[in-house]
Amino acid sequence: MGDPTFGVLGSLQVRVDGVPVRLGGAKPRAVLATLLLQPGGFVSLDLLTEVLWPGGAPRSAVANVRTYVRTLRRALSMAGAATDRLRTKPAGYALDIGPGDLDMLLFEQRLDRARTERDLGDDAAALRAYEAALGLWRGGVLQDVPASVVWDPAVTGLEGLRSAAVDECLEVRLRLGDHAPVIAGLRSRLHDDPLREDLWRMLVHALHDFGRTAEARAAYAEAERIIAAELGIEPSEPLRAMGEQVNGYAGRRRSPAPAPVCQLPMDVPDFTGRADEVAEHERLLSTAGHQPVVAVLSGPPGSGKTTLAVHVAHRVRAAFPDGQLFVDLGGTSDRPREPADVLGEMLRGLGVIDSAVPGEPVERAALFRSRLAQRRFLIVLDDAVGSAQVRPLLPGTGGSAVLVSSRRRMPGLPAHHSALGVMRHDDARALFGAVVGPDRLHAEAADVDRVLAACGSLPLAVRIAGARLANRPGWSVGALADFLHDERGRLDQLRTGELEVRASAELSYRHLPGPAARVFRAFGRLADDAVAGWAVAVATGHADEAARALETLLDEHLVEVVGEDRLGQQRYRMHDLLRCYARELAEAEGHETRVRRQLRVVEALIGLARSANAAMPTRFLGVLGEPAPVTGPASGIADRVRALPVEWFESERRILVAAVDSATRLGRVLLAADLAIELAGFFDMRGYYGDWLRTHQLVLDAMPDPSDARAAALLRNLGQLHLYQDRYAEALASFDRSREIFAGLGHGSGEAVAALGAGSVYRVVDDLDAALAAFTDALDGFGEAGDRHGEAVARNAIASVWLERKDSETAAGWLDGALELARDLGDRHREAQVRRRIAVLYELRGEGGVARAELERALGIFDDLADTHCAAYVQQSIGELCLRQGDAGQASALLVGALAVQQQLGDRRAEARVACLLGELHHATGRKQTARRYFHRSLSTWRRLDARDQAALVDAKLKSLR
């Protein structure tokens, strides 16, 4: 038999008639590797996307995958291989392949034959089959293809089969008396895995049978030494028996095996609720078998993480007969426990004597993993501080399970993650009733609900409230509810005590040096969010002082680092109750000091926002302030802001929005307006429509006489937002008022921008003459102002009118000019917008393939720029094109994705249109129930928009289904 066509047992290999086949780039090779690891099985587009783009797929992922599959088919076809076995299925692919064509399947087939011959007692035939199977391996599985976590189960399984086959082949050779190669093979295997007692037993046996008794005794002694040093135990019974045989003596008396260890704390007797969470974790932990299972349970303080973890651990004890370990990692204490100390404690719990516990943390972790490799333990790690603390405490192989509880999420940990929040209302009622008794629960049901609402169904608060009531027989549930109604005294009533927190905070604050005390007070006036160090420095006015003071507050546990932002800056958060105390101290500083500190932050944010806008990858079609050098403590971050403007806006979005509100409340409306105007472009790019509307409307409402350039810019921006959300009357009114103000001020460029907006409204409502007039006015205005970016936009807009009129020749001239301008200016965003229109032009001419290529280029640009809004429109356009070209599968995937984005962005007109297209698609493919659902969705949206003509068309489609 010749070589298989496909090979994964080593480098990825394709050979036709012995000649290697070139497959193209890395991504087509990765697609083929994924298909080969699941021969004949369905491989979904989602799975291929995860393999190709593990860090997040672009919007064009589906189209790209199909391109890579076409590349594979072309390469195989050119090499003379049959391509009909590579089948396209709905939302995926399958590669039908026989055992003789894939080395992986041929290996499994030959291994099965070898095991059959071995079981029949024909060791000679078995040896030949084992060697034939192992001879197919050319190295590690897919060793020349970048690894993917998607492949891990298949690759691990194959490597495990190979390892087992090697061991079985050695056993067969040993029975055949082929001692020399057996001994060499066993020594090689033990060099890689010196704790394999079965291999040591075979080696001692082989040496003894070969007549090399001294070497056999030495090998047993070496095995005994390594196992004692690494695991702190004696060899197992089979290996000891072999050692006694070669040494010629009976083994000494062994002590009985110790009883399984159980370190679990007592279960809560009245554990109540959380039935789904308990069942989920029972099921998950009980699946531990050939590989360990790790589950991380995270949630806020008081949510009952430890209680749930202990309760689940008791319920699954029987599944872990070797024992259960429990360790408090002290994550919320002043000094979380070190992994090395925890490893030492757990090793002693596993029976390792003190003298055998290594001193180095890495060696302790290795010994811990080795001790668990062949055992089934349940390990509960309570109150973990983070992944770095937990990772050394995890088993590597075997059937153990680990349940971790933590206040922090640990996404970097290789585990199953679940978040524990407040209790469901019924569970909270049951818990409260378990504490106060069922009679009071039922007799005062309405007041019980008031108590639970005040507690927010947080388990700790519910239990404390119930305990207070149970200890006060004279109280009614209604009286307790009344006490808890006042938020200012609620913590006192729940015994966590605002006064106790204040006393503790005051004790720490009193010992702070002056700079640290100032920074502590500054947190009282910063936004209730994680803040970067530069913002703290701006608030205090001293950059170096703030940095040192933050380190002091970290050491004193008065603030915590909650990670880094997108610019690599650490973010600091103060606990809410500590922030309340800091706010009290800030109030005592006086009004002028508080205002000065807040205004410093607002002015710095304006300066940084202008710097960011000047470096944005997309040019916002609005009127922005002129950037100026950033001074003061914020200057240290200015270069990073210019390098990563979108990331900076994203990191500071909540603080920027809060600063607009803060400046408005302080009566500094002009500052608030300057900041709101600088935020509009980012809000537009990322679809933050709620923030956009709130900030702009807040400032406009606060302006006593909204008739200056700031008001005109805000109105233009609001007009754009209204247009996106199909509020056409409001949009036109905002654009017209903005245009009027700009004209009165002699601001030509601003007037042109507003005219463009008005023209867009006219085009959407099919008043094409008015649209063309407005766009032409805008082009003239931009020309007079020397705004070439604006000219490109206006030319593209004029072309859109001619495309609506199906006049492709006239549109072509305007598009050529727009594209040339955009490329000369290096404005990739504008280039993508123009290419969207060019695609329409080509489709009008009947050149669908060229139209598709232009749309793909536009989508690639928008994906590069992370412009979700525009990318969704292009994705919709590609989906429509695919639908018209009869590619229903790809059209469905693209349109469903576009529909989700449009719904999230609140673009109801686009949502209605895409839903109707999906209805037509499913109707055409015979899925009438699905079609009906999409048509109903489209119809209701058109009716909400009062778009009667469109609603009537969809209604007719619905009737045709009946």
Side-chain angles (χ1 to χ4, degrees), residues 608-620 624 627 638-649 678 685 865:
L608 290 171
R610 286 177 175 167
S611 294
N613 275 323
M616 286 284 277
T618 65
R619 183 179 175 87
F620 178 59
L624 301 172
D639 287 342
R640 293 192 188 185
V641 170
R642 284 188 288 270
L644 298 167
V646 179
E647 291 78 0
W648 180 79
F649 274 124
E678 297 301 324
M685 181 181 188
L865 300 177

Side-chain angles (χ1 to χ4, degrees), residues 618-922:
T618 65
R619 183 179 175 87
F620 178 59
L621 190 63
V623 178
L624 301 172
E626 291 296 326
V630 179
T631 59
S635 61
I637 192 69
D639 287 342
R640 293 192 188 185
V641 170
R642 284 188 288 270
L644 298 167
V646 179
E647 291 78 0
W648 180 79
F649 274 124
E650 193 69 69
S651 297
E652 307 296 348
R653 177 170 66 92
R654 294 180 184 276
I655 290 173
L656 287 160
V657 171
V660 173
D661 179 70
S662 174
T664 304
R665 284 187 289 103
L666 290 172
R668 307 302 174 91
V669 181
L670 296 184
L671 281 178
D674 284 342
L675 184 53
I677 288 167
E678 297 301 324
L679 299 180
F682 170 69
F683 292 158
D684 187 4
M685 181 181 188
R686 287 296 173 90
Y688 291 126
Y689 292 168
D691 290 340
W692 189 346
L693 179 62
R694 185 165 55 253
T695 53
H696 280 54
Q697 199 62 61
L698 175 70
V699 177
L700 276 172
D701 290 345
M703 283 185 165
D705 182 23
S707 59
D708 63 359
R710 292 183 177 90
L714 290 167
L715 285 165
R716 197 240 54 109
N717 295 346
L718 275 177
Q720 191 68 33
L721 178 59
H722 292 322
L723 175 59
Y724 286 157
Q725 298 188 316
D726 305 303
R727 297 189 292 269
Y728 303 122
E730 294 96 323
L732 191 57
S734 293
F735 285 133
D736 286 346
R737 178 57 182 152
S738 172
R739 189 175 180 182
E740 178 185 344
I741 295 173
F742 277 130
L745 297 171
H747 196 308
S749 183
E751 184 181 357
V753 171
L756 267 177
S760 297
V761 177
Y762 289 130
R763 181 174 56 79
V764 171
V765 299
D766 290 329
D767 189 348
L768 297 183
D769 290 337
L772 187 59
F775 291 152
T776 303
D777 288 346
L779 180 61
D780 293 341
F782 286 129
E784 292 175 6
D787 186 343
R788 299 181 71 212
H789 285 277
E791 287 187 54
V793 178
R795 289 178 178 276
N796 195 36
I798 292 171
S800 72
V801 175
W802 291 110
L803 289 172
E804 290 282 346
R805 291 175 169 174
K806 312 300 183 187
D807 187 342
S808 59
E809 295 308 315
T810 304
W814 290 104
L815 288 171
D816 288 343
L819 183 61
E820 183 179 355
L821 268 174
R823 297 177 73 173
D824 285 348
L825 293 166
D827 188 341
R828 297 186 68 219
H829 190 273
R830 188 56 47 201
E831 177 187 345
Q833 294 285 19
V834 176
R835 291 194 182 280
R836 283 186 61 203
R837 303 292 185 203
I838 292 175
V840 177
L841 174 70
Y842 279 115
E843 192 174 8
L844 282 175
R845 293 174 172 175
E847 300 179 51
V850 183
R852 173 69 179 272
E854 289 292 341
L855 287 173
E856 293 286 359
R857 292 174 72 178
L859 183 60
I861 293 173
F862 287 137
D863 280 337
D864 288 345
L865 300 177
D867 189 336
T868 305
H869 192 184
C870 290
Y873 283 121
V874 179
Q875 189 172 342
Q876 174 185 337
S877 298
I878 299 174
E880 293 182 55
L881 184 60
C882 290
L883 184 59
R884 289 190 291 271
Q885 293 176 343
D887 189 349
Q890 189 164 3
S892 177
L894 289 164
L895 291 174
V896 167
L899 181 64
V901 176
Q902 300 297 8
Q903 182 181 15
Q904 179 185 0
L905 296 174
D907 190 337
R908 291 177 296 166
R909 178 172 288 270
E911 182 184 347
R913 176 170 173 75
V914 176
C916 182
L917 288 169
L918 283 166
E920 293 171 356
L921 185 152
H922 288 290

Side-chain angles (χ1 to χ4, degrees), residues 411-713:
L413 210 61
H416 300 270
H417 298 268
S418 59
L420 191 66
V422 298
M423 300 183 84
R424 289 183 292 274
H425 183 71
D426 290 346
D427 285 349
R429 280 179 61 85
L431 174 59
F432 190 76
V435 180
V436 304
D439 294 340
R440 302 181 81 175
L441 181 69
H442 297 300
E444 303 176 79
D447 289 326
V448 168
D449 287 341
R450 292 172 56 207
V451 170
L452 297 180
C455 294
S457 293
L458 191 69
L460 179 61
V462 173
R463 185 175 287 278
I464 292 173
R468 292 204 71 193
L469 193 62
N471 292 331
R472 292 164 175 78
W475 278 17
S476 66
V477 179
L480 176 60
D482 290 340
F483 285 133
L484 293 173
H485 180 70
D486 184 2
E487 291 184 358
R488 292 172 297 179
R490 185 173 297 168
L491 292 179
D492 294 333
Q493 294 298 329
L494 291 175
R495 296 285 189 181
T496 51
E498 190 176 59
L499 290 175
E500 291 182 8
V501 172
R502 182 181 295 112
S504 176
E506 183 180 5
L507 182 63
S508 298
Y509 175 76
R510 198 184 316 153
H511 295 90
L512 291 174
R518 281 192 289 275
V519 169
F520 184 89
R521 295 193 299 271
F523 269 91
R525 284 297 168 186
L526 290 171
D528 293 340
D529 205 342
V531 297
W534 67 264
V536 179
V538 168
T540 59
H542 303 284
D544 295 337
E545 178 183 284
R548 290 192 297 270
L550 280 169
E551 291 299 320
T552 301
L553 295 180
L554 282 168
D555 293 341
E556 295 291 328
H557 305 285
L558 296 175
V559 297
E560 60 176 340
V561 175
V562 293
E564 291 186 348
D565 60 24
R566 297 161 191 260
L567 274 69
Q569 297 286 298
Q570 285 189 324
R571 310 290 291 194
Y572 300 89
R573 176 180 288 134
M574 182 177 282
H575 190 279
D576 287 344
L577 296 176
L578 286 174
R579 192 186 293 276
C580 288
Y581 180 60
R583 189 172 294 120
E584 292 178 359
L585 296 174
E587 291 287 343
E589 289 184 315
H591 178 73
E592 290 186 6
T593 302
R594 296 199 310 272
V595 170
R596 184 167 60 250
R597 179 175 293 149
Q598 288 177 270
L599 291 181
R600 275 202 300 260
V601 174
V602 174
E603 290 167 351
L605 288 171
I606 293 172
L608 290 171
R610 286 177 175 167
S611 294
N613 275 323
M616 286 284 277
T618 65
R619 183 179 175 87
F620 178 59
L621 190 63
V623 178
L624 301 172
E626 291 296 326
V630 179
T631 59
S635 61
I637 192 69
D639 287 342
R640 293 192 188 185
V641 170
R642 284 188 288 270
L644 298 167
V646 179
E647 291 78 0
W648 180 79
F649 274 124
E650 193 69 69
S651 297
E652 307 296 348
R653 177 170 66 92
R654 294 180 184 276
I655 290 173
L656 287 160
V657 171
V660 173
D661 179 70
S662 174
T664 304
R665 284 187 289 103
L666 290 172
R668 307 302 174 91
V669 181
L670 296 184
L671 281 178
D674 284 342
L675 184 53
I677 288 167
E678 297 301 324
L679 299 180
F682 170 69
F683 292 158
D684 187 4
M685 181 181 188
R686 287 296 173 90
Y688 291 126
Y689 292 168
D691 290 340
W692 189 346
L693 179 62
R694 185 165 55 253
T695 53
H696 280 54
Q697 199 62 61
L698 175 70
V699 177
L700 276 172
D701 290 345
M703 283 185 165
D705 182 23
S707 59
D708 63 359
R710 292 183 177 90

Side-chain angles (χ1 to χ4, degrees), residues 73-137:
R73 280 202 176 100
R74 186 165 56 250
L76 293 172
S77 177
M78 291 177 64
T83 59
D84 56 344
R85 292 182 298 180
L86 179 51
R87 294 183 290 115
T88 301
K89 303 182 114 184
Y93 300 92
L95 179 59
D96 297 327
I97 192 166
D101 290 327
L102 176 60
D103 59 2
M104 176 180 76
L105 296 178
L106 188 57
F107 166 70
E108 293 172 351
Q109 185 183 68
R110 291 178 179 178
L111 181 59
D112 287 343
R113 189 170 71 226
R115 287 170 171 173
T116 300
E117 299 288 359
R118 178 199 61 186
D119 294 342
L120 292 173
D122 190 345
D123 285 339
L127 179 59
R128 290 192 297 272
Y130 275 119
E131 289 178 337
L134 292 169
L136 292 168
W137 286 79

